[in-house]
Structure formats: structure tokens, C-alpha cells
Amino acid sequence: MTEPLDAPEDHPVLPPPRIGYDSTTWKEIAYLLSSFPLSIFGFVYAVTMVSLGAGLTVTVIGLPLIAAGLSGARLLGKAERGRARALLGVRIEEPSPLPVRRSAGFFGWLWTGLKDPVGWRTVLYEVIRLPWAILTFTLTLVGLFVLWPVLPFIARGLGNADRAMVRALLSPSDELERRIAELESDRGVVVDTAAADLRRIERDLHDGAQARLVNLAMGLGLAKEKLLEGQADDAVAAMVDEAHGEVKLALQELRDLARGIHPAVLTDRGLDAALSSVASRCTVPVKVTAELPGRPAEAIEGIAYFTVSELLQNVSKHSGARSASVDVWRSQDRLLIQVWDDGRGGASLDKGTGMSGLAERLDAVDGLFVVDSPDGGPTTITAELPWRDRTEPIRQG
């Protein structure tokens, strides 16, 4: 028998069928015979899950039952892809995991599970495969005893039909479908992050500058009353001096708040100067190296700034480090950030240090966030953002 020719993994070239049985033919026969009992199980599972879940949608368990059933269908699809890979030589990539975030809660899991295209296509595959499996099982069994001289040709034709069915229904979702699901999930992260930022700004204004301005107004009001009463004494001077101090503190808090929203140095001088300013406020000596051919888009520049800012705050508060460094550079169409410190290590995305929020922010713009922090240190955190060139605003003249 001739050996298979080299071919791409997803479309292997099979040896031509011959009257003599080779290993490929026996594998095809084994696939066709085993499909019948397995298709009975898959059909019963799919029909029971859909009918029971649909019938119970009037209760609170109907939709969760369907979502859980679709997760089980994914496992059936994985098993079928493995069987087709072993017996039919079909190479199909595994679908991407469902983009469910822990912060989305139960309803996020439910909605993502119900609209899972991979699960629904697997259910369709299990439903339509039963009658086909009955036909192929019958033809293959009869061929073994009656039509054995031409069985390799029959097995090849039936196997090719199964290969086409597996590729059509058990392949991963196309790129657009996956991209839509990711964008829907990322949109929720962006909305939640924006809402949290607005609440923080509102809280800082209410508890900081607003409270000081209220005290300033009250102090000036008392001073005005005393002046109107002709009491131009030391008490009035003290009140005015206290009001002047409140004004300076309120201005400083407003500046800090504005710097937290979008620092002026970032707008005026770019990422290098802004990161140097952040590093100067860190309690640990920080070396900043920024090698950028230009300035990225404002949104990317802002995310990079606040990512480094929060990481350096973690270095100051939690690391116990003696030194740290920040490196920023561009590699092709990506902006890379690496923050290193020689602290105690042990940093993680699930220890409440704000890193999980950073990871979600970067993921929302197609970025990556990788933490390498063994116990005992050192800690190296790498962030990756898409590079988009800055577009200059159109000046009205």
C-alpha cells in the first residue's frame, strides 16, 4: 500500500481505497460501526436536554438547565473531535473557552451559555447524526459479510461524508463570531470600569474639595459678619487666614484629582515624562526607560500610564522592594510595558491588589497582562497593548 502524502493537518491526503484493506480502511470501518451506539447516546442527550429545558422555561430552572446542557454538549463535541482525529485523520482545532468573567456573576454565565454557538452546533450534530449513523452502520455491517470486495470504497465514501459533517458542525466558530462574543464581554468591562471611575471622582469631590469649599464659605461668611459689625480684630484676621489655607488645600486636592483623571504632563510631554513623574512619587527608587518612536493614541497612552501608576503603587505598598524599574517600548504593532521589582514576590491576579482590574482593562482593548511573581521575588509584570498611531486634532482656523 502507498503511504499518505504530506498535507496540512486539517485536510490530510488519504491513500486511495484499494480492494486490499489497509490501516486507514480499518479505522474508517471502526468509526462507522462505533458511530451507531454513540449517536444513540448523543441523540438522547440532546433531545432530552432541549425538550426538558424548553418545557421548564416557565420555571426558574429551565434556562439554567439549557445553559448547563450546552456546556455538556461541548464535552460531547470534544469527544467526537477526538474520535474523528484518531480514526478519520481529521485535524480540527478546539473551540475557544466561553468568555465568562467571574465578575459577571450568575446572569453573565447564563447569558453566555445560552448563546454559545459551539454548544448549539454540537446539539444539531447529535440530532442529525442518528439517522445517518443507522444508515452507515447498516451498509458497513452488510459490506463486511456480503460486499467485502468493495467495502473499502464504500467506507471511504461514507467516511468522507462524516469528515465533512464533523468539519461543518464541530469546528470552532468563525473568527467574526468569536470576535463578537469577546467584544460583548469586553464592553461590559469597559462600562463597569467607567462607572467605578465616575464613583471614585464623585467620592473624591464630595469628601475632599467640596467639603473644604463648604468650610471656606462658612469661614468667609463669619468673617464678613464680624466686619459688618465693625469687629476688625485679630479673630477676623485668623478667620481669613484659615480660609486662605482652605483655598490652597482645595486647589491642591483639585489638582490631584485632575492628575488622577488625566495628568497634564501626559498630555503636554508624553508617556516618558509622565512615567518619570509617577516614578518620582514612588517610595522605592525606580529607573524608567521608554524607547518609543512616537506617541501612541491618547486612549492607549492613558491606559499605559494608569497601568504603570497602579503597579508602582503596589510596589510602594506591598512589595517591600529596594529597587524597581519600568521599561516601555514598541514592538511592531504592540506597546510593551514591563515593571520589575526585587521585593518579596507572591503577587497574583486573585489577591485583591487591583491587578485583576488591570488585567480586565487591558483585555478590553485586546491587551495582555502577565504576572511572574514567585514567593521570595523578584516580580516581573508584563503588559501588552495594541499600538495605534496618534491622530492630531483638526485645528479650526
Side-chain angles (χ1 to χ4, degrees):
M1 295 299 295
T2 57
E3 295 297 327
L5 300 176
D6 293 337
E9 287 190 349
D10 55 343
H11 293 88
V13 175
L14 301 173
R18 303 286 181 86
I19 294 179
Y21 291 22
D22 62 356
S23 60
T24 302
T25 300
W26 282 117
K27 287 181 179 179
E28 290 171 335
I29 293 173
Y31 183 89
L32 296 171
L33 292 177
S34 63
S35 291
F36 176 58
L38 293 176
S39 65
I40 295 177
F41 174 79
F43 181 85
V44 171
Y45 176 86
V47 172
T48 302
M49 180 269 293
V50 173
S51 58
L52 187 60
L56 293 176
T57 51
V58 295
T59 68
V60 295
I61 64 173
L63 294 180
L65 181 62
I66 294 177
L70 291 174
S71 298
R74 272 183 164 249
L75 297 178
L76 289 178
K78 183 177 181 179
E80 286 298 329
R81 283 187 293 273
R83 194 166 68 95
R85 187 180 304 115
L87 299 178
L88 296 181
V90 178
R91 298 290 185 266
I92 298 178
E93 293 183 3
E94 292 296 323
S96 302
L98 289 176
V100 179
R101 302 181 185 279
R102 289 176 295 179
S103 58
F106 171 76
F107 290 103
W109 166 83
L110 178 63
W111 174 243
T112 304
L114 288 175
K115 61 187 182 68
D116 176 22
V118 175
W120 283 114
R121 286 205 306 273
T122 305
V123 169
L124 177 61
Y125 173 82
E126 297 293 351
V127 170
I128 67 176
R129 196 185 61 160
L130 179 60
W132 173 251
I134 295 174
L135 175 64
T136 57
F137 178 83
T138 304
L139 292 175
T140 305
L141 196 61
V142 171
L144 279 174
F145 296 98
V146 179
L147 303 174
W148 60 267
V150 294
L151 181 57
F153 300 92
I154 296 175
R156 178 57 50 83
L158 298 178
N160 285 340
D162 271 303
R163 290 182 180 94
M165 189 182 303
V166 169
R167 289 193 183 101
L169 295 178
L170 297 184
S171 294
S173 305
D174 58 43
E175 188 62 28
L176 178 60
E177 199 171 57
R178 285 203 300 268
R179 183 63 180 148
I180 290 173
E182 291 174 359
L183 289 176
E184 286 179 349
S185 179
D186 293 342
R187 181 181 61 183
V189 174
V190 173
V191 171
D192 292 342
T193 301
D197 288 340
L198 287 175
R199 288 193 299 270
R200 176 182 60 80
I201 294 170
E202 181 182 10
R203 183 178 63 251
D204 291 344
L205 284 173
H206 182 271
D207 298 340
Q210 179 178 329
R212 294 196 180 279
L213 291 175
V214 169
N215 290 335
L216 171 62
M218 294 175 61
L220 290 177
L222 291 174
K224 179 181 178 181
E225 290 180 1
K226 290 186 176 294
L227 286 174
L228 292 176
E229 293 172 0
Q231 301 179 14
D233 54 8
D234 293 340
V236 176
M239 289 180 182
V240 173
D241 185 63
E242 182 179 354
H244 183 252
E246 290 288 340
V247 169
K248 292 193 292 184
L249 290 174
L251 287 174
Q252 182 61 42
E253 289 182 354
L254 288 174
R255 290 192 191 99
D256 293 339
L257 181 60
R259 184 184 298 115
I261 297 173
H262 196 84
V265 65
L266 180 62
T267 302
D268 297 338
R269 300 175 55 192
L271 197 57
D272 189 0
L275 295 183
S276 298
S277 176
V278 171
S280 66
R281 298 195 296 270
C282 184
T283 58
V284 176
V286 180
K287 178 183 178 182
V288 178
T289 303
E291 298 178 356
L292 300 175
R295 297 184 62 177
E298 292 183 0
I300 300 300
E301 194 175 61
I303 294 174
Y305 170 83
F306 288 111
T307 299
V308 174
S309 178
E310 186 153 348
L311 290 176
L312 289 182
Q313 287 183 25
N314 285 339
V315 171
S316 297
K317 296 177 181 178
H318 308 295
S319 70
R322 295 184 300 273
S323 62
S325 65
V326 176
D327 294 289
V328 183
W329 71 98
R330 178 182 177 179
S331 177
Q332 297 181 354
D333 60 345
R334 309 294 283 182
L335 175 64
L336 299 175
I337 303 167
Q338 193 169 81
V339 178
W340 173 91
D341 70 75
D342 59 357
R344 64 177 64 96
S348 173
L349 292 177
D350 54 1
K351 290 187 177 180
T353 57
M355 290 191 184
S356 59
L358 288 176
E360 290 183 349
R361 283 196 182 190
L362 267 66
D363 185 58
V365 293
D366 291 335
L368 294 175
F369 190 82
V370 180
V371 178
D372 180 16
S373 182
D375 290 334
T379 295
T380 303
I381 298 177
T382 304
E384 183 177 325
L385 290 164
W387 179 280
R388 292 198 294 269
D389 291 326
R390 177 178 293 258
T391 56
E392 297 296 334
I394 300 176
R395 299 179 181 274
Q396 299 293 335

